[in-house]
């Protein structure tokens, strides 16, 4: 069971001298991977080119072995055969569950809102109905918190207003900037101030794209949804399509830790979202290297684990990632994110952000979530 996903890329030698990866269950092989993630001893290193043959018993390609270090290795899947990929079939976890099981799941989606992310936001929104429907039918937990956050702390509507207002007052009172973006406001007027949480890193979103942003009707005036949310798919679609106007210096790891730290406490923007007796499922979606957040993948993991009371059975980490700023690496998960996901072992999956449909990724993730839920050991 342990390592069924973690060994999808390659593990160290077994005690009998054979490749550790050949002992993994559910592995269909590593195909067509490039050497994009060769930095920083991440969990996906040294995997290059096409496979040169397979072990007849395991189906693991020979000549494309992964790292033989003690660095973490993330489970990797792919649902787009046109891009470099790390291919993993649904893992067979084998042994029966050993935990008490979970009755609650907290879903957090950390979604990049920079200028290049419009298509990916819509892809997530399109995949969500099937994902949550499968969760409801296959996972024993039926008590959900579902929240979406972005990766910066800027209110872009307010920023646009400032630019329009300054131009109106100092340059051209008849400029179309105000009439196009703010048709109900005339030169010299001030718009209503934005909600403080709309300008807070890690705050749950309750608005979609627009000028001003479109209010998404979340029951209870919360910044996260529950299983009782009316039109859950439609509300998620509203929130996930947040617009691609965020800061290009994304801070997904910092946003994640802030959302689950101060913002979920009393006085924060979404108090009560994170529950000690729930499995936390994080999905991080970004198309660039994580350079904005302080710390390292190791420290992010340590900090997140601390927020869940040190309970390793309480976290599932999913990531769709790439590096849009590096030619040839656009569809390959970045070194930092691969390393970060790798620390979660069999509870982590990372895949290319370039997939035209995220549904296969989330369908596979259901199996990992179900496994984590079965293995969950509640605190106390």
């Amino acid at each position: 069971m342990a390592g069924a996903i973690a060994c999808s890329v390659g593990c160290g030698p077994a005690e009998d001298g054979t490749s550790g990866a050949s002992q993994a269950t559910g592995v269909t092989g590593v195909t067509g991977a490039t050497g994009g993630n060769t930095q920083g001893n991440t969990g996906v290193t040294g995997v290059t080119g096409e496979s040169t043959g397979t072990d007849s018993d395991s189906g693991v390609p020979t000549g494309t072995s992964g790292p033989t270090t003690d660095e973490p290795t993330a489970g990797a899947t792919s649902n787009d055969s046109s891009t470099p990929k790390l291919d993993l079939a649904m893992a067979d976890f084998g042994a029966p569950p050993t935990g008490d099981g979970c009755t609650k799941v907290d879903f957090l989606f950390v979604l990049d809102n920079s200028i290049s992310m419009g298509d990916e936001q819509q892809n997530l929104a399109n995949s969500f109905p099937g994902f949550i429907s499968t969760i409801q039918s296959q996972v024993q937990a039926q008590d959900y918190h579902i929240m979406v956050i972005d990766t910066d702390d800027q209110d872009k509507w307010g920023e646009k207003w400032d630019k329009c207002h300054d131009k109106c007052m100092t340059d051209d009172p008849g400029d179309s900037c105000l009439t196009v973006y703010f048709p109900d406001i005339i030169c010299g007027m001030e718009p209503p101030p934005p909600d403080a949480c709309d300008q807070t890193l890690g705050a749950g979103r309750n608005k979609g794209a627009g000028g001003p942003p479109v209010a998404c009707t979340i029951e209870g005036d919360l910044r996260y949804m529950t299983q009782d949310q009316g039109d859950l798919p439609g509300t998620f679609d509203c929130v996930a399509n947040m617009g691609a106007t965020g800061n290009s210096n994304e801070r997904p790891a910092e946003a994640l830790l802030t959302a689950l730290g101060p913002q979920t406490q009393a006085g924060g923007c979404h108090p009560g979202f994170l529950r000690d007796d729930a499995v936390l499922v994080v999905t991080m979606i970004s198309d660039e290297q994580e350079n904005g957040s302080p710390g390292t993948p190791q420290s992010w993991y340590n900090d997140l684990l601390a927020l869940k009371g040190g309970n390793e059975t309480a976290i599932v980490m999913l990531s769709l990632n790439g590096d849009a700023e590096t030619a040839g690496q656009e569809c390959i998960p970045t070194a930092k994110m691969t390393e970060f996901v790798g620390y979660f072992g069999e509870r982590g999956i990372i895949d290319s952000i370039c997939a035209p449909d995220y549904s296969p990724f989330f369908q596979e993730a259901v199996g990992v979530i179900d496994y984590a839920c079965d293995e969950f050991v509640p605190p106390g």
Side-chain angles (χ1 to χ4, degrees):
M1 171 169 58
I5 288 182
C7 288
S8 62
V9 179
C11 296
E15 291 181 0
D16 62 2
T18 62
S19 169
S22 67
Q23 309 302 313
T25 24
V27 180
T28 59
V30 182
T31 60
T34 75
N37 287 320
T38 57
Q39 309 174 36
N41 294 325
T42 67
V44 184
T45 59
V47 184
T48 58
E50 297 292 334
S51 63
T52 58
T54 60
D55 181 296
S56 59
D57 294 325
S58 67
V60 176
T62 59
T64 57
S65 60
T68 57
T69 71
D70 291 331
E71 291 295 322
T73 53
T77 78
S78 180
N79 43 33
D80 181 8
S81 60
S82 67
T83 62
K85 67 180 182 179
L86 296 166
D87 188 16
L88 174 67
M90 186 58 234
D92 175 8
F93 292 107
T98 59
D100 296 332
C102 75
T103 60
K104 303 174 184 177
V105 181
D106 297 334
F107 294 94
L108 176 62
F109 294 83
V110 183
L111 186 54
D112 185 346
N113 63 326
S114 61
I115 194 169
S116 57
M117 285 291 296
D119 290 343
E120 289 80 3
Q121 291 175 13
Q122 186 60 61
N123 202 344
L124 170 63
N126 292 345
S127 302
F128 179 79
F131 172 57
I132 198 64
S133 177
T134 307
I135 288 287
Q136 290 169 333
S137 64
Q138 296 188 15
V139 177
Q140 65 182 26
Q142 295 294 304
D143 183 340
Y144 312 134
H145 285 178
I146 303 166
M147 185 167 71
V148 179
I149 65 172
D150 58 35
T151 54
D152 71 9
D153 57 358
Q154 293 183 329
D155 168 57
K156 302 305 287 187
W157 181 67
E159 190 175 290
K160 172 69 73 174
W161 160 255
D162 288 342
K163 291 179 180 178
C164 288
H165 183 266
D166 290 345
K167 190 168 188 178
C168 166
M169 295 298 290
T170 62
D171 184 19
D172 181 5
D175 188 85
S176 62
C177 182
L178 280 179
T179 58
V180 169
Y181 292 102
F182 306 96
D184 297 326
I185 298 174
I186 62 174
C187 188
M189 291 178 61
E190 290 287 347
D195 189 301
C197 286
D198 292 343
Q199 302 178 88
T200 299
L201 183 68
R205 291 190 61 98
N206 60 3
K207 297 181 180 68
V214 175
C216 303
T217 306
I218 299 180
E219 294 182 8
D221 291 327
L222 301 173
R223 285 181 171 263
Y224 59 86
M225 294 155 273
T226 74
Q227 72 282 352
D228 297 322
Q229 173 69 42
D231 187 16
L232 179 56
T235 305
F236 186 90
D237 182 280
C238 178
V239 176
N241 279 297
M242 59 182 65
T245 57
N247 196 302
S248 59
N249 184 30
E250 302 92 332
R251 293 181 282 165
E254 185 180 1
L256 163 67
L257 296 172
T258 303
L260 299 176
Q263 295 307 325
T264 199
Q265 304 299 322
C269 289
H270 45 257
F273 168 78
L274 185 67
R275 299 172 290 183
D276 292 340
D277 57 347
V279 167
L280 171 66
V281 177
V282 177
T283 302
M284 303 186 74
I285 304 179
S286 178
D287 66 350
E288 293 184 16
Q289 181 75 271
E290 161 64 289
N291 292 319
S293 299
T296 64
Q298 176 73 75
S299 69
W300 303 335
Y301 171 78
N302 292 341
D303 290 345
L304 179 57
L305 188 60
L307 290 169
K308 289 297 291 179
N311 186 352
E312 293 181 343
T313 73
I315 308 172
V316 172
M317 181 59 62
L318 312 174
S319 176
L320 290 159
N321 193 249
D323 187 0
E325 293 188 333
T326 304
Q329 307 295 305
E330 295 90 347
C331 296
I332 300 175
T334 62
K336 282 186 178 180
M337 192 54 60
T338 300
E339 180 184 351
F340 179 52
V341 175
Y343 287 113
F344 298 89
E346 66 267 24
R347 292 175 176 82
I349 306 179
I350 189 166
D351 198 0
S352 171
I353 196 170
C354 294
D357 180 5
Y358 294 160
S359 297
F361 173 80
F362 283 114
Q363 289 298 313
E364 181 159 350
V366 170
V368 180
I369 295 167
D370 188 34
Y371 160 75
C373 193
D374 288 343
E375 293 282 308
F376 178 59
V377 179

